[in-house]
Every structure is written in structure tokens, then in C-alpha cells.
Amino acid sequence: WEKEIDQTTEKFVGRFSILSASQLNYKPGQHAWSIAQNIHHLIRLNSSYFLIFDEIKTGKYVLPPSESIDQLAKKSLKILHPYISRDRPKKANTWSIWQPSHENFDTSILNDFVHHQSSFKIHIMELREFLEKPTYIKYPGETELVFRLEECIDYLIEHENRHWLQANEVVNHIDLQNKSRG
């Protein structure tokens, strides 16, 4: 996972670090997110899981007992899969807690993302012992979904890659605009 996170971070930094603040904040449409908003969304969403990860590590996180929790976890993944996969078969409206800010970001949003990704890797390393046995985590959104901890981490990484593709589409839009002007 750490290697995948590093690769994702490198993709974001490599592709977007050459952009100006106005390019990072450019929105190709009224309902589209800018590159910076995609990055801000990832930081917000992952951070909401970090709070739960911290509770797991300290023993304060407890899910209500359920005989069918593994079945619930499988069903939860099936429900979310169309919204997180890289091929983006379904567009999703994110929960309000994860909506990106409408503010204009400066280029430091990329540094914030790099620091965030480092924190993500630290959380994973500190969760190793909990990955050795079935550990479940509740989806922090506004619904009753449950995941196995390792599937949650897979989900978060896949979600980051989906948003890299989404942000990359914005760059392609900017490039097309520049070509049409030039």
C-alpha cells in the first residue's frame, strides 16, 4: 500500500506541480471540480478515516456485534464499487462532509497533499497488527456500510486514483483551451 500511495502522490505532483494557482482552480463547468478541489476532497475524505484509524489503534473503536458482519462488508463493497473504480461507470455526489471547499487554493495544496499522503502511510504502518485478524470499519459517510480494514485501505487508494483521473481531465480541458487560443 505504501508503494501505491507513493505512486499516486508522484502522479499528482508530477502532473500538477507545473500548474499555476489559477490553473489548479480552473473548473471546466459549473458542476465540475477543479484540480485543487479534487485534491482537497481527497484530504478531507481520507482524514475522516484517519480519526477512525486512531480509535482502532487505541482500542476505542468498537462496531456493534453482528453475526453477519462479513456479509454486510461484502455487500457494502458491492454498493460502493461503481463509484470508486477508475473507469468511473457512475458519477457520484459526495456526502457534504467531504465536499471540497469552494475557495481558491494556492499551489501549496499540492504540499498539503504530499504531507497528507505521508500521514496516510504512517496510519497504515501503525495498523499492521489489526490487519492480521478480521478488523471491520464503518464507512464514515451518511450510510450504514461496513468494510474489512484492508478493503477500506484498498478503497481509499482506488478512490485517490479515480480522482487523479478526474483532475487529469481538467488538465486536458485546459490544454485544449490553450491550443484553440494559440
Side-chain angles (χ1 to χ4, degrees), residues 48-49 95 97-98 138-144:
S48 69
Y49 281 89
W95 302 110
I97 62 171
W98 298 320
K138 183 186 174 299
Y139 181 71
E142 300 163 13
T143 188
E144 294 299 318

Side-chain angles (χ1 to χ4, degrees), residues 84-86 153-163:
I84 62 165
S85 64
R86 293 180 203 198
I153 295 168
D154 287 340
Y155 156 80
L156 292 173
I157 292 170
E158 186 67 19
H159 181 252
E160 287 186 346
N161 283 297
R162 176 186 172 121
H163 279 280

Side-chain angles (χ1 to χ4, degrees), residues 58-75:
T58 61
K60 294 178 182 173
Y61 187 76
V62 180
L63 281 174
S66 169
E67 291 179 19
S68 59
I69 196 158
D70 199 52
Q71 285 301 105
L72 179 58
K74 288 176 185 174
K75 183 179 176 184

Side-chain angles (χ1 to χ4, degrees), residues 7 14 38 41 47-48 68 78 90 93 102 161 180-181:
Q7 290 169 342
N38 274 282
H41 163 71
S47 294
S48 69
S68 59
K78 195 172 188 175
K90 288 193 176 186
N93 290 327
H102 294 287
N161 283 297
S180 68
R181 289 183 196 148

Side-chain angles (χ1 to χ4, degrees), residues 1-14 42 86 113 117 156-162 164:
W1 287 310
E2 290 91 349
K3 189 176 184 178
E4 288 181 81
I5 292 168
D6 285 340
Q7 290 169 342
T8 302
T9 306
E10 289 170 18
K11 285 192 306 189
F12 272 86
V13 172
L42 290 174
R86 293 180 203 198
F113 184 68
Q117 294 292 81
L156 292 173
I157 292 170
E158 186 67 19
H159 181 252
E160 287 186 346
N161 283 297
R162 176 186 172 121
W164 183 85

Side-chain angles (χ1 to χ4, degrees), residues 3 6 44 55-56 67 86-87 95-96 115 123 131 133 135 142 144 147 149 154-155 162-163 176 182:
K3 189 176 184 178
D6 285 340
R44 271 195 159 165
E55 288 180 359
I56 289 171
E67 291 179 19
R86 293 180 203 198
D87 59 358
W95 302 110
S96 60
H115 288 84
H123 278 288
L131 294 163
K133 60 183 184 252
T135 302
E142 300 163 13
E144 294 299 318
F147 305 99
L149 182 57
D154 287 340
Y155 156 80
R162 176 186 172 121
H163 279 280
L176 283 173

Side-chain angles (χ1 to χ4, degrees), residues 86-179:
R86 293 180 203 198
D87 59 358
R88 296 172 58 201
K90 288 193 176 186
K91 283 197 158 214
N93 290 327
T94 193
W95 302 110
S96 60
I97 62 171
W98 298 320
Q99 285 289 332
S101 171
H102 294 287
E103 71 183 87
N104 280 330
F105 297 91
D106 61 33
T107 57
S108 68
I109 189 74
L110 285 165
N111 289 332
D112 295 344
F113 184 68
V114 169
H115 288 84
H116 168 78
Q117 294 292 81
S118 293
S119 180
F120 190 7
K121 290 189 309 185
I122 290 167
H123 278 288
I124 291 171
M125 288 184 271
E126 291 174 347
L127 287 166
R128 290 275 186 227
E129 71 181 88
F130 300 97
L131 294 163
E132 294 172 6
K133 60 183 184 252
T135 302
Y136 294 88
I137 181 171
K138 183 186 174 299
Y139 181 71
E142 300 163 13
T143 188
E144 294 299 318
L145 302 176
V146 174
F147 305 99
R148 289 182 76 124
L149 182 57
E150 63 270 17
E151 291 167 339
C152 173
I153 295 168
D154 287 340
Y155 156 80
L156 292 173
I157 292 170
E158 186 67 19
H159 181 252
E160 287 186 346
N161 283 297
R162 176 186 172 121
H163 279 280
W164 183 85
L165 291 171
Q166 189 174 330
N168 197 48
E169 288 173 6
V170 177
V171 173
N172 293 338
H173 195 272
I174 292 169
D175 290 345
L176 283 173
Q177 277 195 324
N178 290 338
K179 285 180 184 176

